[in-house]
Amino acid sequence: MTTKSSFIKYSVKWLLLFTVLVLAPLILALFGHQEENRGFWIEFGVGLGFIGLAMMGLQFVLTARYSKIGAPFGLDELLHFHGQAGYFAWGFIMAHFVVLFVADSQFWEFLDPRVNLPRALALSGVIVAATALIATTHWREKFGIIYEWWRASHGILGLFVVFVGTVHILQVSHYVSEPWQKAVWVTLSVAAIGMLVHNRVWRPLLMKKRPWKVTSITEEVNTIWSIELEPVSHSGLQFNAGQFVWITLGDSPFKLQQHPFTISSAPEEKNVRLTIKSLGDFTKEIKNLVPGSTAFVEGPYGNFTVDASIKTHNVFINGGIGITPTMSILQDLRSKQDQRQTTIIYGTPSFGLTPFYEELKVLSSELNLKVVHVFEEAPDDWDGETGFITEEIMKRYLPDDTSNCEFFVCGPPPMMDMAESTLRKWGVPVYRVHSERFNIV
Ligand SMILES: Cc1cc2nc3c(=O)[nH]c(=O)nc-3n(C[C@H](O)[C@H](O)[C@H](O)COP(=O)(O)OP(=O)(O)OC[C@H]3O[C@@H](n4cnc5c(N)ncnc54)[C@H](O)[C@@H]3O)c2cc1C
C-alpha cells in the first residue's frame, strides 16, 4: 500500500525537481556575463522562450519510459502530465514570439527571409512544428491520423523544435555568452534528444538480442485472443503481476507498430501470456498469427501492482479487456498462497463475451476471492447483477469502511471515470486508487 506520506513526499519532490529544471535556464543566465537591460518586456519575452524550450526538452524525459520517473503515479498519469505540460510549453514558445514582436518590431527580422533565409525558415518551422504537435495530438482521431504515424511524427516534430531552439539560443547568444553556458545548453539538448534515440534505437537493438517465439494463439471469447510467448535462448522476463510490455511482431524490433499489452499470466511462469482484444489494424491481425513467428518484448512497465508486504483488502473494478492485469495478480496470489481478501467487480457485455469466466471460477475456489459479474445483457436465468457497473453495485459488495481497501481500476474510460469519481466521493485517498488506462492518447 502506498502510504499517504510517501505519496505526498514523492509528489512534492517530483514537482520541485520539474520546476527547478524548467527554471534552470533562467538560473543559468544569472550566473554568466551580465547583459545590458533592454527593458522589462524584452527580457520577459526572452525568459518565456527559455522556459518553453526547457519544457520541450523535459518532454523527452517524461516519455522516455524510465520506470523510476513515473512511480508511483503510473504511465497514464505521467503521459497525462506530458500532455498538459505540452500545452504549456507551446504557450511559452508562442508567447516568446508574440511578446518580443509586440515589445520591439525589430524582432520581426527573425522571421524575415530577406534578412536571413535559413533562420527565417527554421524559426517559422518551430512555430508550425510546435503547433502541429499540439493539433495532431488533440485532434488525431478527427484528422484520421494513424496512431503509429502520429507517434513517429510526434518524436520528429519535438526533436526539430528542441534542435532549432537550441541553435537559436546559441546564435543569439544573449544570456548564453559564456562558453560554459553554451556547453550546458548543448549538453542538455543532446541529453534530451539522446533519450529519444535511446528509446527508438538502443532499446530495439537490445530487444533484437532477446527474441521471443509465439507458441500458441487461443480464442478466449469472440474478438479476444490470448497469445503465448516463449523466450528464445534467453532467460525471459522478470516482472511484477499487473505490469505491461510493449510488443513488436515480425522479424524486426524497429517497426513503427509497437503496442502495449498487459501480461495476463503469472510472473512465476517462464512463458508470457498476452490477452488482446481486436480493435484496430494491429490487434485485428492477432488471430492470424502463426505459431513459431517472432516477437520482440520491451519492458516490463507500470505500477498497477499489489504490494505483497501489506495485508489489504484488494478491490478490482474491471471492465472488458481491463481484466488482464487482474488475471496476472490473481495467479500470482495463488502461487504465493496469499489468502488476503480480494473482490472483483467485473463488467462485460454478456456471459458469452466474458473472458476467463471459468478461470475466475477456479481461482475463486482457491483464493479468498469474490467475483461479481455484471453483464450488460444477461441470460434469462441470471440472478446476478446486470447493466453497467454503478455506485449502487459497488456499494452492495464493498465494506462501508474502505480504509483497509486498496482499489485497482481498469476498463473502458466511462467505467473508469465512474469508479474513480465514486471512490473520490467516498473519500478514498488518491494514493489508494490505482488506475491503468488502456487508451493513453
Ligand atoms: C498500459 C496499457 C496496457 C494495455 N493492455 C492491454 C491488454 O492487456 N489487452 C488489450 O487488448 N489491450 C491493451 N491495451 C490497449 C492496446 O495497446 C491497444 O488496444 C492497441 O494498441 C490498439 O492497437 P490497434 O492498432 O489494433 O488499434 P488502433 O485502432 O490503431 O488504436 C486504438 C487505440 O489504441 C491506442 N493505441 C494504438 N496504438 C497504440 C500504441 N502503439 N501505443 C499505445 N496506444 C496505442 C490509441 O489510444 C488508439 O486510439 C493496453 C494499453 C495500454 C496503454
Side-chain angles (χ1 to χ4, degrees), residues 31-51:
F31 289 103
H33 164 73
Q34 289 308 303
E35 307 284 354
E36 60 158 316
N37 188 338
R38 295 166 296 176
F40 172 78
W41 286 108
I42 292 182
E43 305 310 338
F44 179 64
V46 170
L48 292 173
F50 276 135
I51 292 177

Side-chain angles (χ1 to χ4, degrees), residues 216-348:
S216 67
I217 305 108
T218 314
E219 184 172 18
E220 299 291 352
V221 294
N222 189 19
T223 74
I224 296 183
W225 298 77
S226 283
I227 58 171
E228 193 169 295
L229 304 176
E230 181 184 81
V232 178
S233 312
H234 58 89
S235 55
L237 190 71
Q238 280 203 329
F239 65 96
N240 294 320
Q243 287 193 295
F244 69 93
V245 289
W246 294 80
I247 63 158
T248 315
L249 295 172
D251 296 331
S252 166
F254 288 97
K255 289 184 174 169
L256 272 180
Q257 289 270 16
Q258 197 199 24
H259 292 254
F261 296 103
T262 310
I263 301 166
S264 62
S265 52
E268 292 76 16
E269 287 166 30
K270 195 173 173 202
N271 286 4
V272 159
R273 177 180 69 175
L274 305 174
T275 304
I276 299 175
K277 183 178 164 69
S278 296
L279 205 69
D281 53 341
F282 182 81
T283 46
K284 277 189 180 142
E285 289 306 314
I286 292 296
K287 61 176 184 295
N288 299 326
L289 272 176
V290 284
S293 47
T294 306
F296 296 95
V297 173
E298 185 196 318
Y301 293 106
N303 61 352
F304 196 79
T305 51
V306 165
D307 184 343
S309 62
I310 305 165
K311 289 280 171 254
T312 46
H313 173 183
N314 289 328
V315 177
F316 296 86
I317 317 278
N318 290 137
I321 194 64
I323 193 73
T324 49
T326 310
M327 291 310 294
S328 179
I329 291 169
L330 295 178
Q331 290 166 86
D332 191 35
L333 292 177
R334 176 170 58 188
S335 320
K336 292 178 174 145
Q337 298 184 335
D338 188 330
Q339 287 298 330
R340 75 180 66 199
Q341 190 179 359
T342 306
T343 305
I344 302 177
I345 302 179
Y346 184 27
T348 47

Side-chain angles (χ1 to χ4, degrees), residues 366-408:
E366 293 167 336
L367 295 167
N368 182 7
L369 166 67
K370 176 166 184 59
V371 183
V372 179
H373 286 283
V374 185
F375 299 135
E376 249 174 271
E377 281 177 29
D380 290 341
D381 57 351
W382 174 249
D383 58 359
E385 298 294 347
T386 54
F388 292 119
I389 300 176
T390 57
E391 182 181 355
E392 289 65 43
I393 292 182
M394 286 168 64
K395 248 193 206 142
R396 264 201 286 285
Y397 298 95
L398 301 179
D400 291 337
D401 177 8
T402 56
S403 58
N404 188 38
C405 293
E406 193 85 352
F407 291 90
F408 296 84

Side-chain angles (χ1 to χ4, degrees), residues 119-174:
R119 184 178 71 182
L121 283 178
L123 292 180
S124 313
V126 163
I127 297 176
V128 174
T131 308
L133 271 170
I134 297 292
T136 54
T137 305
H138 198 81
W139 293 294
R140 180 180 69 78
E141 285 181 15
K142 214 172 185 179
F143 292 161
I145 304 171
I146 296 168
Y147 186 89
E148 287 69 34
W149 288 107
W150 167 80
R151 190 165 162 242
S153 66
H154 206 67
I156 292 167
L157 291 170
L159 210 65
F160 177 79
V161 173
V162 170
F163 177 75
V164 174
T166 308
V167 173
H168 173 59
I169 282 176
L170 296 178
Q171 273 184 344
V172 173
S173 204
H174 209 82

Side-chain angles (χ1 to χ4, degrees), residues 6 26 35 104 118 158 167 184 210 213 227 237 263 322 399 405 439:
S6 72
L26 302 183
E35 307 284 354
D104 185 340
V167 173
V184 171
R210 294 170 65 85
K213 188 171 78 183
I227 58 171
L237 190 71
I263 301 166
C405 293
N439 62 326

